[in-house]
Amino acid sequence: MKDVTAIVLAAGLGTRMKSELHKGLHELAGRPLLFYPIRAALDAGIKRIVLVVGHQAQAVEETVEDLFPDADIGYVTQERQLGTAHAAMCARGEVEDSQDVVVLNGDLPLLGADSIKGLMDACTASGGMLAITAAVVDDPFGFGRVVRDKSGIAARIVEERDAGPDQRGIREINLGVYAARAGHLFSMLDQVGDGNAKGEFYFTDVVELTRKAGHGVGVYVLQSDAEAMQVNDRAELAAAEAAMYQRKAALLMSEGVTIHQPGTVMIDDDCEVGRDTEIWPCVELHAGTRIGSGCVIGRGCVLDNTEVADDVTVLPYSVMTDSSMEDGTKAGPFSHLRPGSVMKRGSKVGNFVEMKKSTLGPGSKSSHLTYLGDSTIGADVNIGAGTITCNYDGVHKMPTTIEDGAFIGSDTQLVAPVKVGRGAYVGAGTTVTRDVPDGALALSRVQQTHIMGYAMAKKKK
Ligand code: UD1
Ligand code: CA
């Protein structure tokens, strides 16, 4: 591809969000809003991005660096937010006049990479000076309208606020993504004035200026107007997020995933789900989560950055973060895997079992009411109800090891650091404070005594 730079406009605060937080940093489907247009530009094959920052510049830069550590992203500052034309001008020093640029508003989460490619082709086809991205939508409210001349060529863009009643009726909108020859674009931007309803320098004026200069303006019409969503306020944020989740669910269903009530599930767009997996309502799968085939994810489960292999069952209302479940494992209902939990092949955790930084070995089971923290548990271990690894002394975290085939009776406390040897038994109600040798039985119960006739004697008093 030719040498193209993308200029992403993100200096505005996003006043209509009514927020202390920069609009681009608001979360949408598991990522900050600004993530999406930058990723679309990179996916379209554009190697260099220049981000125009202003409000909360430092927070924006830090977030973008975290999201795209390997991308070539430069930052320019727009000190005062005088409008989109002024914002784009701030990037002038970053591009050669002969270069091609793509300019994107930073609040377009559904824009796809293919649309950016289509736009660049439309620019070339129309003479290479300027092309805009348009869509015909049912509700054009809030967008600039594309005004075409008698021959059907784009003549100018009119903003909602500046539009008369006739122009408001136009349903062809300007998405806010443009391709241009840099030298041409900046000489047009030089001529933009602020005589409009907002008193701002509008980028969109370059359309009329380009036509006046005797050049063509290409219009790339979106293949799918589902991409034509911007986020100016919270209602649009919610609508865009819902659209993104809907799109993801539709894609997964087309690939052989069953989703019950897809309108209720939230699956971030980088998540993977294998064939014949069944997802019940109100499930959330967040960034980095991968689920294999033939699994069942029950109602209300929330999985974040969690790896689930094949034939796994997660019963309702389980929560898992930075964890992994191997083939044939089973969890829930109401189980909690905190960061660093690993369930090996065929293991099982039941209701109200919490794991943290622990490995449960192949075929091992912990079925009820248990806390396993900083522990390494071998194969075929049975952990009774109410077992607690006491891993924290108020200062340090300490490890527990339970070796293959051990049996931990109910209501056991394992005071770490401690080890239960291979095949050992721990009697119910035991507090384990010393290592249990292989094959031994550990017991620390107070002897049970009976006071005969006690109840009758008490009543007589
Ligand atoms: C803009 C377009 C409109 C289009 C719509 C859709 C103009 C004048 N209007 O309107 O035709 O339909 O987008 O996306 O361009 N920004 C800056 N500095 C500024 C002002 C804005 O960096 O001084 C940034 C914002 O942070 C934002 C982007 O530019 O990411 C667009 O600004 P916004 O205020 O959302 O423009 P709209 O009013 O939606
Ligand atoms: Ca906008």
Side-chain angles (χ1 to χ4, degrees), residues 16 23 105 107-108 142 230-232 236:
R16 289 164 278 185
K23 178 167 77 175
N105 288 353
D107 58 358
L108 305 170
Q230 62 170 330
V231 175
N232 288 330
E236 286 174 342

Side-chain angles (χ1 to χ4, degrees), residues 8-16 22-24 34 52-54 78 80-88 104-108 140 142-145 157-160 173-178 196 198 200-205 229-232:
V8 180
L9 308 183
L13 176 64
T15 317
R16 289 164 278 185
H22 186 282
K23 178 167 77 175
L34 201 45
V52 182
V53 293
Q78 183 192 24
R80 292 171 60 213
Q81 282 64 58
L82 302 177
T84 44
H86 181 259
L104 303 106
N105 288 353
D107 58 358
L108 305 170
F143 285 100
R145 311 293 205 281
I157 294 169
V158 180
E159 292 304 297
E160 176 88 37
I173 58 99
N174 165 42
L175 189 67
V177 189
Y178 319 88
N196 51 54
K198 253 181 146 180
E200 284 189 357
F201 295 91
Y202 287 168
F203 185 98
T204 43
D205 286 357
M229 291 182 99
Q230 62 170 330
V231 175
N232 288 330

